Amino acid sequence: MKTILVEGREVALSNIFCIGRNYAEHVKELKNAKPTEPVVFLKPTSALIQSGENITLPEYSHDVHHECELIIYIDKDVNSVSPQRALDYVGGYAIGLDLTARDVQSQLKTKGLPWTKAKGFRSAACVSHFISPKLIDDINAQQFGLKVNGELRQQGNTKDMMFPCAEIISYLSEVYGLQAGDIIYTGTPAGVAALKSGDELELIWTDKIDVKFKIA
Ligand code: MG
């Protein structure tokens, strides 16, 4: 069983939801169409690693990209919640990586097949510890980014999300239902690029979280 660290407590992990194409500049860099409703995919819970563990790149890909994202932790079951009440179900926030085998994803997209092999390999879901929502004034104005080997590669602000956190939660609760223990990757800003063995990654949520991962 996989667990996550929420305010210092180990908590059982439930589903891993991910939102794709949520920042306009990233949609442009991959030449995708702008979505009219959230693009949702899932990762298996076995893909999760926490900071302190090393990332292992899958042998079947030669182009694994970093996607640095803000992550929501849901702490109460909920169906069909309105955006106005959605943040009441948040038990924490973290920063993490939605690692993506871009070469495999491109092949799957061409064939119209699901993305699981590109997005769900072991260590494809990296997470920091989760902090209390009480520490955050406005979740829609949070600056975060990623350094690789000391060089800034990605920088984003949650104000640029096409579907903000409350709308994502409302949408997922309506279509799928949300359960305590679910986490939600909220999409990546521009700047995605390939990783290689030995790379050192630093995920920074300004004034909140700073964690490192290393590629084995
Ligand atoms: Mg992503």
Side-chain angles (χ1 to χ4, degrees):
M1 186 187 73
K2 292 283 185 175
T3 59
I4 51 174
L5 201 60
V6 181
E7 294 184 71
R9 289 174 300 120
E10 290 282 343
V11 173
L13 174 67
S14 188
N15 298 299
I16 305 176
F17 288 98
C18 305
I19 305 300
R21 304 177 189 174
N22 202 22
Y23 288 81
E25 290 302 313
H26 172 63
V27 171
K28 265 192 229 163
E29 74 179 343
L30 292 188
K31 299 184 173 64
N32 285 318
K34 233 174 161 179
T36 52
E37 66 180 309
V39 174
V40 180
F41 61 93
L42 292 145
K43 289 179 188 263
T45 54
S46 51
L48 186 110
I49 62 166
Q50 300 191 61
S51 43
E53 297 177 76
N54 280 348
I55 295 166
T56 306
L57 300 176
E59 286 179 4
Y60 57 76
S61 171
H62 302 289
D63 194 25
V64 174
H65 281 194
H66 51 75
E67 294 190 359
C68 183
E69 310 195 2
L70 189 102
I71 306 170
I72 302 166
Y73 161 65
I74 298 294
D75 70 349
K76 294 181 277 290
D77 294 5
V78 63
N79 295 329
S80 304
V81 69
S82 68
Q84 291 72 29
R85 303 293 311 278
L87 297 183
D88 296 350
Y89 295 85
V90 176
Y93 293 101
I95 186 169
L97 296 164
D98 161 19
L99 294 183
T100 304
R102 195 71 70 201
D103 46 356
V104 177
Q105 188 192 31
S106 299
Q107 291 163 13
L108 295 169
K109 277 160 85 173
T110 306
K111 294 178 187 165
L113 293 171
W115 299 352
T116 312
K117 195 176 176 186
K119 293 276 199 180
F121 53 86
R122 288 195 301 273
S123 76
C126 310
V127 296
S128 72
H129 54 284
F130 286 74
I131 59 171
S132 168
K134 293 184 192 123
L135 299 175
I136 296 144
D137 295 334
D138 180 3
I139 195 58
N140 297 317
Q142 298 297 317
Q143 182 93 24
F144 64 97
L146 169 71
K147 285 183 183 174
V148 180
N149 303 323
E151 176 199 330
L152 188 66
R153 286 264 191 97
Q154 287 194 271
Q155 196 161 34
N157 193 301
T158 54
K159 72 178 167 46
D160 298 319
M161 288 182 178
M162 288 185 273
F163 299 99
C165 292
E167 281 186 38
I168 291 169
I169 294 165
S170 174
Y171 178 87
L172 292 175
S173 78
E174 178 65 35
V175 178
Y176 306 97
L178 286 168
Q179 300 177 98
D182 287 350
I183 63 171
I184 307 164
Y185 281 75
T186 55
T188 195
V192 301
L195 293 166
K196 59 181 191 314
S197 182
D199 280 348
E200 295 190 333
L201 284 61
E202 184 179 5
L203 284 66
I204 304 153
W205 178 353
T206 308
D207 301 329
K208 302 279 190 304
I209 297 177
D210 192 323
V211 292
K212 292 185 174 76
F213 286 91
K214 192 174 159 79
I215 311 286

